[in-house]
Amino acid sequence: MQVQNISNIRIIFDRGTILIQNLTLSNEHKRSCPIPLVWDHSSKGYRIEAYQWRTFKKYLLNYNYTYTDNLFSHFSRIDLKSNITLREYQNHALASWRAQGGKGIICLPTGSGKTKLALKAMELCNAPTLCLVPTRVLLNQWKKEISSAFEIKCGQLGDARKDLRNITVSTYASAYRHMENIGQIFKFIVIDEAHHFGQSLQDEILLMAAAPFRLGLTATKPQDQVHMQNLEKYIGKVSYELQINDLKGTYLAEFDYRKIFV
């Protein structure tokens, strides 16, 4: 199917959404679009949710559209390098995530090195990255790990600070307040404790981010089907999973698990 190639299509990040201006589509072409396009009369363009940008970009490229955009140009190119070496299962996890196109959730037990795996993913992705964490304690832990791994000064969003850098760590709460203005800055999002998403208002953080690359980390994958479907929608499917019994006695210490009722 051929469509008209309009060279002055403009892609604009606007208040947590993507605005597409100067795009002319027939009804047939609208139906072939994999995501819903909403016409905005006031802006004279179509709107999509920011997280759908990756899918819509593939649609444009498939039909040879050319466009200009204001996405991911806030920071200059970075060159991340580290001395991180991964264990065998961590390499398998990272390879599985990359095989899914740089989207998805990795489920590994506590103490198995999810942070180190994420740092290696940042190095391979080599793009402006936002790390989302639920608490201020984790914010400081991640900043320390990132600064040590790459020998750079890490940005911070949260705990009364707004210092955006190529690699920035943010609490969920601060990202929720600011994402409608910064959702076009970061190309890669790492979501620590990803199971906290998929069932609350803070899901808007991931909806308003245009980042095409996403890595969710969790030790406790949700068992509820709807909850899991929402995570797959916003982050990607589970790309790799190991249980604690898969690693105990080798990479994790032996342990006894007992329930004590009180």
Side-chain angles (χ1 to χ4, degrees):
M1 178 172 57
Q2 298 294 320
V3 297
Q4 184 180 0
N5 188 335
I6 305 175
S7 60
N8 64 339
I9 294 173
R10 297 179 66 223
I11 308 295
I12 302 168
F13 182 86
D14 182 47
R15 292 167 294 168
T17 66
I18 300 292
L19 175 64
I20 306 111
Q21 293 181 321
N22 304 326
L23 174 63
T24 303
L25 292 174
S26 66
N27 289 332
E28 180 184 358
H29 298 156
K30 288 180 187 177
R31 287 192 296 269
S32 70
C33 186
I35 57 179
L37 296 169
V38 178
W39 179 256
D40 183 344
H41 290 280
S42 62
S43 300
K44 294 182 171 56
Y46 293 101
R47 284 190 187 272
I48 61 173
E49 292 182 291
Y51 85 100
Q52 297 172 318
W53 166 239
R54 177 173 176 161
T55 301
F56 187 70
K57 180 180 177 180
K58 288 182 179 179
Y59 170 78
L60 291 176
L61 295 177
N62 187 48
Y63 293 119
N64 297 317
Y65 278 98
T66 58
Y67 60 87
T68 59
D69 69 83
N70 70 341
L71 307 180
F72 317 122
S73 59
H74 184 85
F75 293 114
S76 58
R77 180 178 173 82
I78 58 176
D79 186 19
L80 297 177
K81 292 181 180 178
S82 76
N83 295 319
I84 293 173
T85 56
L86 299 181
R87 297 167 176 171
E88 183 180 15
Y89 68 88
Q90 292 170 321
N91 278 316
H92 290 161
L94 189 56
S96 298
W97 174 77
R98 295 179 73 186
Q100 281 191 182
K103 286 187 69 176
I105 301 167
I106 292 177
C107 302
L108 291 173
T110 301
S112 58
K114 292 188 291 295
T115 300
K116 183 176 288 188
L117 192 158
L119 292 172
K120 196 64 177 180
M122 292 180 206
E123 182 180 350
L124 294 173
C125 194
N126 204 34
T129 301
L130 180 67
C131 297
L132 299 173
V133 299
T135 66
R136 290 181 292 176
V137 171
L138 284 172
L139 183 148
N140 290 318
Q141 288 179 3
W142 273 87
K143 280 186 63 182
K144 183 178 179 181
E145 293 287 343
I146 291 168
S147 298
S148 176
F150 302 122
E151 297 183 350
I152 61 172
K153 187 170 182 180
C154 184
Q156 177 176 327
L157 184 60
D159 200 11
R161 286 186 59 188
K162 184 180 180 183
D163 177 24
L164 300 181
R165 296 178 181 269
N166 272 312
I167 309 296
T168 299
V169 184
S170 173
T171 59
Y172 295 169
S174 292
Y176 181 79
R177 289 195 297 270
H178 294 284
M179 192 57 71
E180 66 174 342
N181 297 314
I182 67 170
Q184 82 285 16
I185 293 178
F186 300 99
K187 204 169 186 178
F188 182 25
I189 293 184
V190 175
I191 305 105
D192 194 19
E193 306 289 350
H195 54 273
H196 289 298
F197 288 87
Q199 56 181 358
S200 67
L201 285 175
Q202 70 187 13
D203 291 352
E204 291 187 11
I205 299 171
L206 302 181
L207 288 171
M208 293 190 291
F213 303 110
R214 301 176 179 221
L215 171 60
L217 304 171
T218 183
T220 52
K221 186 179 72 173
Q223 300 303 307
D224 179 75
Q225 185 178 3
V226 174
H227 187 176
M228 199 63 222
Q229 287 174 345
N230 287 335
L231 285 183
E232 291 176 353
K233 177 181 177 182
Y234 305 143
I235 304 173
K237 295 184 178 181
V238 173
S239 57
Y240 192 83
E241 181 176 8
L242 288 178
Q243 302 297 328
I244 196 166
N245 288 328
D246 298 319
L247 298 176
K248 76 171 186 176
T250 53
Y251 296 106
L252 296 179
E254 291 283 359
F255 67 94
D256 291 324
Y257 176 64
R258 299 176 184 175
K259 287 184 179 180
I260 300 176
F261 295 94
V262 296

